């Protein structure tokens, strides 16, 4: 359970997942923010109006998947590093998952790495496709990982070392 | 114990200098806290409790507690977590509460 | 005699925001801080801040320190005294400052105390061994001075500081063996917890450290699981080999000067300890003395900046500065503060503030 272990439940993850049709249309932001905290930069970062205005700064973010084009600005500006972009149209067998990255272990494009789930367990071998300096220009990067399609909502990191 | 590279931070360091710790010559960077230089050199015991002589390290690292009091250039009770390191500094483990000797 | 219209004590997020707000309204401000540089604990905070645009959300703490310092310098109305410790508040409303080899009195018309907080300790056998450090202390050592605290760390406390510093230890290349939390729930924001969890750091809620072992320095700790009554469950003890234990079990407001100034104080556990009664503009029971930031009650730096702004605006207005814009600006700041304290994570602070208000009424 999230409050006990830091790992969100399956139900929580399902609740923020775009539907099958939207996933079939290309990259989309997945906001894994499950706690009401005073924070709204995802809304201010979104240039497409996809992330809805906050009536109360403690609201959970709400996203209109129809307006989201998966640009990833919210990945760069979320202080909780809780936003990912998932593209299930990447290939027949693989999805592309974009994760925020702030570690010295900066893989190169083409490199393989263990894919970790939300518990830090290795669940796949993934390929780093792109290492993008974060649009926030604050030293962070966004890693584009090719992961087995069935693990698009499992892989959320690579190891620190 | 130095962080050579950091994903977010760049560390501005002063000149590399030498100082003495209990008679031993150590290296550090000018201007960094004495405690940081000692820690980087592997020295973690900075003082001892007065009653039971138990070893003590730093605690707060911002000059608020007195866990890191040492004798620096002959002056006792210096909070080495905020005392800038200088060339040739003489840093000593303090015995007891310290004497002013003035 | 050194005279100033507004003296701000402490140059962290609250103090910087207070000085800035007051100076922008036209007041002449002196900002005194005992450290060699302004910014308080922002200077070691590499994580991006929560909140909203008004509190520089998404900026790293280190960048916010820079922004506030530059803005403060740009006003041209703030005299900055660094390495300057305010040592006392006297009956004739003067304060004394010790700065290097100088010791001098200051006569301010208004004072804003933004003195911050200190880290709490945790008492258990062996808790004084070198290698057992405050989590904030480790953050200073590593993020400000570029020195690793050790090779393998255990963190006690899964509040925001505990989970954030754990993540920063990983960034510095230090292994984090576990985060140990006595409460049955993680106290910090879950997004921070999720960040370290997906990198494989176990978060052990309902656990505590019962003993530290080591000859001169920390070598090992014994941890154990706690039952619902927070008693150690027999047989659950196990050892973790670590050379550093970070203690992150809360902060206490630095209230000494507020006591000296005669401000009416109350012990409010939800706010971390002794804090002064204050009105909506952060003015204490002593007219002309304001409080902001952790000294007003432990909270997030985002809220501290807003409190500083309110206190700065109010102190300036009380001297006749910016009266035409005061209401608009302070209303906006008040709205921001209500928002920051408004959600489920602000419940503790709201409870604390309510107690304080109740106590204030009783006192009248």
């Amino acid at each position: 359970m999230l409050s006990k272990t830091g790992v969100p439940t399956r139900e929580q993850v399902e609740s923020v997942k775009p539907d099958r049709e939207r996933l079939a249309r290309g990259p989309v932001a997945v906001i894994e923010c499950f706690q009401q905290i005073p924070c709204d930069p995802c809304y201010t970062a979104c240039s497409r109006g996809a992330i809805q205005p906050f009536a109360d700064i403690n609201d959970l973010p709400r996203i209109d998947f129809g307006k989201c084009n998966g640009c990833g600005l919210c990945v760069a500006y979320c202080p909780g590093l809780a936003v990912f972009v998932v593209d299930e149209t990447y290939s027949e067998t693989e999805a592309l998952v974009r994760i925020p990255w702030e570690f010295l272990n900066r893989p190169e494009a083409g490199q393989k790495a263990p894919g970790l789930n939300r518990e830090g367990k290795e669940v796949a071998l993934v390929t780093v496709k792109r290492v993008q300096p974060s649009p926030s220009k604050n030293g962070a990067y966004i890693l584009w990982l090719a992961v087995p399609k069935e693990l698009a909502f499992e892989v959320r990191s690579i190891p620190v070392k | 114990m130095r962080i050579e590279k950091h994903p977010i931070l760049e560390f501005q360091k002063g000149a590399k200098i030498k100082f003495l710790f209990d008679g031993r010559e150590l290296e550090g960077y000018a201007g960094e806290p004495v405690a940081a230089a000692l820690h980087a050199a592997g020295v973690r015991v900075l003082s001892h409790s007065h009653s039971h002589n138990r070893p003590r390290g730093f605690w707060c690292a911002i000059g608020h507690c007195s866990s890191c009091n040492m004798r620096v250039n002959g002056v006792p009770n210096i909070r080495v977590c905020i005392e800038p390191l200088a060339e040739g500094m003489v840093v000593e483990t303090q015995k007891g509460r310290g004497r002013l000797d003035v | 005699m050194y005279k100033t219209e507004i003296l701000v004590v402490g140059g962290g997020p609250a103090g910087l925001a207070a000085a800035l707000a007051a100076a922008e309204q036209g007041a002449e401000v002196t900002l005194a801080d005992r450290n060699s540089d302004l910014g308080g604990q922002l200077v070691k905070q590499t994580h991006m801040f929560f909140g909203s645009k008004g509190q520089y959300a998404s900026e790293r703490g280190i960048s916010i320190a820079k922004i506030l310092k530059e803005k403060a310098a740009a006003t041209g109305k703030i005299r900055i005294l660094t390495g300057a410790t305010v040592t006392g508040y006297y009956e004739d409303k003067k304060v004394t400052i010790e700065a290097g080899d100088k010791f001098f009195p200051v006569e301010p018309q208004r004072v804003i105390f933004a003195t911050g907080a200190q880290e709490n300790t945790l008492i258990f056998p062996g808790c004084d061994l070198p290698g057992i450090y405050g989590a904030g202390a480790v953050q200073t050592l590593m993020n400000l001075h570029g020195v690793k605290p050790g090779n393998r760390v255990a963190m006690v406390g899964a509040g925001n500081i505990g989970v954030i510093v754990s993540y920063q230890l990983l960034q510095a290349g230090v292994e984090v063996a576990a985060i140990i939390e006595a409460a049955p729930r993680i106290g910090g924001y879950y997004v921070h917890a999720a960040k370290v969890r997906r990198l494989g750091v176990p978060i052990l809620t309902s656990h505590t450290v019962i003993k530290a072992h080591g000859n001169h320095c920390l070598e090992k700790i014994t941890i154990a699981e706690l039952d619902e009554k927070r008693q150690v469950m027999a047989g659950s003890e196990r050892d973790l080999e670590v050379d550093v234990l970070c203690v992150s079990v809360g902060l206490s407001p630095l209230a000494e000067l507020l006591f000296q100034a005669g401000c009416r104080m109350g012990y409010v556990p939800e706010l971390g300890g002794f804090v002064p009664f204050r009105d909506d503009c952060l003015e204490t029971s002593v007219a002309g003395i304001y409080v902001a930031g952790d000294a007003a009650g432990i909270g997030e730096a985002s809220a501290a900046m807003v409190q500083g702004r309110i206190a700065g605006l109010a102190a300036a207005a009380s001297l006749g500065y910016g009266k035409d814009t005061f209401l608009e600006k302070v209303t906006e700041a008040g709205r921001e503060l209500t928002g920051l304290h408004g959600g489920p994570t602000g419940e503790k602070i709201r409870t604390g503030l309510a107690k304080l208000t109740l106590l204030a009424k009783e006192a009248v």
Side-chain angles (χ1 to χ4, degrees), chain A residues 73-140:
Chain A
L73 276 175
C74 50
V75 179
Y77 288 97
C78 171
L81 310 190
V83 188
F84 307 87
V85 170
V86 172
D87 180 5
E88 291 203 344
T89 66
Y90 175 66
S91 82
E92 273 301 301
T93 56
E94 286 180 312
L96 211 50
V97 175
R98 276 180 250 166
I99 64 164
W101 193 245
E102 299 184 314
F103 292 93
L104 215 45
N105 169 21
R106 207 164 292 146
E108 307 215 336
Q111 210 173 306
K112 301 261 188 211
L116 307 181
N117 68 7
R118 295 180 188 84
E119 293 175 51
K121 290 202 180 107
E122 187 179 332
V123 290
L125 196 63
V126 306
T127 312
V128 180
K129 287 291 169 186
R130 192 177 159 196
V131 182
Q132 175 197 2
S134 171
S136 59
K137 296 187 179 67
N138 63 2

Side-chain angles (χ1 to χ4, degrees), chain B residues 1-3 6-9 11 13 32-33 35-36 39-40 44-45 54-64 81, chain C residues 34 46 60 62 118 120-121 128 130-134 137 142-143 145-150 171-172 216 243-244 247 254:
Chain B
M1 280 299 181
R2 298 271 179 192
I3 302 170
H6 193 281
I8 306 297
L9 296 165
F11 300 106
K13 289 195 178 101
E32 72 178 345
H39 202 90
R44 298 168 71 170
V45 179
R54 290 173 64 86
R56 291 278 160 84
F58 68 84
W59 164 257
C60 78
I62 51 171
H64 196 77
C81 70
Chain C
R34 67 180 176 186
T46 51
R60 300 192 189 283
I62 45 174
Q118 66 179 341
N120 294 340
T121 54
D128 59 344
I132 302 178
Y133 306 133
M142 124 184 125
N143 290 351
H145 307 306
V147 176
K148 293 183 194 182
Q171 286 183 307
H216 300 297
D243 57 354
V244 175
V247 178
L254 292 178

Side-chain angles (χ1 to χ4, degrees), chain C residues 240-258:
Chain C
L240 282 182
E241 279 187 28
V242 289
D243 57 354
V244 175
L245 180 70
C246 284
V247 178
S248 166
V249 293
L251 304 171
S252 296
L254 292 178
E256 296 89 343
L257 289 165
L258 289 154

Side-chain angles (χ1 to χ4, degrees), chain C residues 44-269:
Chain C
K44 63 192 188 190
Q45 292 176 1
T46 51
H47 58 283
M48 292 191 271
F49 270 46
F50 292 82
S52 198
K53 267 190 173 161
Q55 308 99 43
Y56 310 99
S58 281
E59 292 284 354
R60 300 192 189 283
I62 45 174
S63 309
I64 297 174
K66 265 186 214 146
I67 294 168
L68 291 177
K69 277 191 273 186
E70 281 165 15
K71 281 191 168 183
T75 63
K77 296 201 69 88
I78 306 174
R79 277 188 284 179
I80 293 165
L81 308 177
T82 51
T85 307
V86 172
T87 57
Y89 188 96
Y90 289 75
E91 284 179 15
D92 53 354
K93 298 183 190 298
K94 293 183 186 75
V95 305
T96 45
I97 291 182
E98 181 239 320
D101 52 2
K102 291 194 186 73
F103 183 69
F104 57 95
V106 175
E107 192 180 340
Q109 292 177 47
R110 303 285 183 271
V111 184
I112 301 171
F113 285 112
T115 43
Q118 66 179 341
E119 298 195 83
N120 294 340
T121 54
L122 189 66
I123 306 302
F124 54 91
C127 67
D128 59 344
L129 273 173
I132 302 178
Y133 306 133
V138 163
Q139 201 182 28
T140 301
L141 183 75
M142 124 184 125
N143 290 351
L144 200 57
H145 307 306
V147 176
K148 293 183 194 182
N151 295 313
R152 193 160 191 261
V153 176
M155 176 71 63
V156 183
N160 269 336
I161 296 176
V163 283
I164 288 171
V165 174
S166 296
Y167 181 80
Q168 293 173 359
L169 282 158
L170 297 172
Q171 286 183 307
V174 180
E175 193 188 340
V176 181
I179 301 173
I180 299 145
E181 168 62 58
R185 294 161 62 93
I186 294 164
Y189 292 165
Y190 298 158
V191 282
H192 280 313
K195 270 163 55 181
V196 290
R197 196 64 193 85
R198 64 181 180 248
L199 293 165
V201 177
I203 301 175
L204 307 173
T205 44
S206 299
H207 277 72
T208 193
V209 53
I210 54 176
K211 197 171 182 194
H213 315 261
N215 185 23
H216 300 297
C217 289
L218 181 68
E219 290 163 17
K220 192 169 74 173
I221 57 169
T222 304
I223 63 168
E225 198 170 348
L226 300 174
D227 63 18
E228 290 96 45
K229 290 177 182 158
R230 294 218 184 178
Q231 300 300 307
V232 170
M233 289 166 70
S236 70
E237 298 88 350
R238 64 185 166 108
D239 290 345
L240 282 182
E241 279 187 28
V242 289
D243 57 354
V244 175
L245 180 70
C246 284
V247 178
S248 166
V249 293
L251 304 171
S252 296
L254 292 178
E256 296 89 343
L257 289 165
L258 289 154
F259 272 110
Q260 272 189 29
C263 300
R264 192 178 295 275
M265 306 291 286
Y267 186 82
V268 184

Side-chain angles (χ1 to χ4, degrees), chain B residues 15-79:
Chain B
K16 200 171 231 185
I17 51 135
K18 290 181 167 47
F19 69 103
L20 283 179
F21 164 66
D22 283 349
R24 224 166 99 200
E25 192 176 79
L26 297 177
E27 275 186 345
Y29 294 97
E32 72 178 345
V34 170
L38 286 172
H39 202 90
V43 177
R44 298 168 71 170
V45 179
L46 305 178
S47 67
H48 293 83
S49 67
H50 296 318
S51 306
H52 301 287
N53 202 38
R54 290 173 64 86
R56 291 278 160 84
F58 68 84
W59 164 257
C60 78
I62 51 171
H64 196 77
C65 73
S66 53
S67 193
C68 68
N69 279 2
M70 296 181 84
R71 218 173 131 89
V72 177
N73 292 338
V75 182
N77 301 321
I78 298 294
R79 296 166 294 172

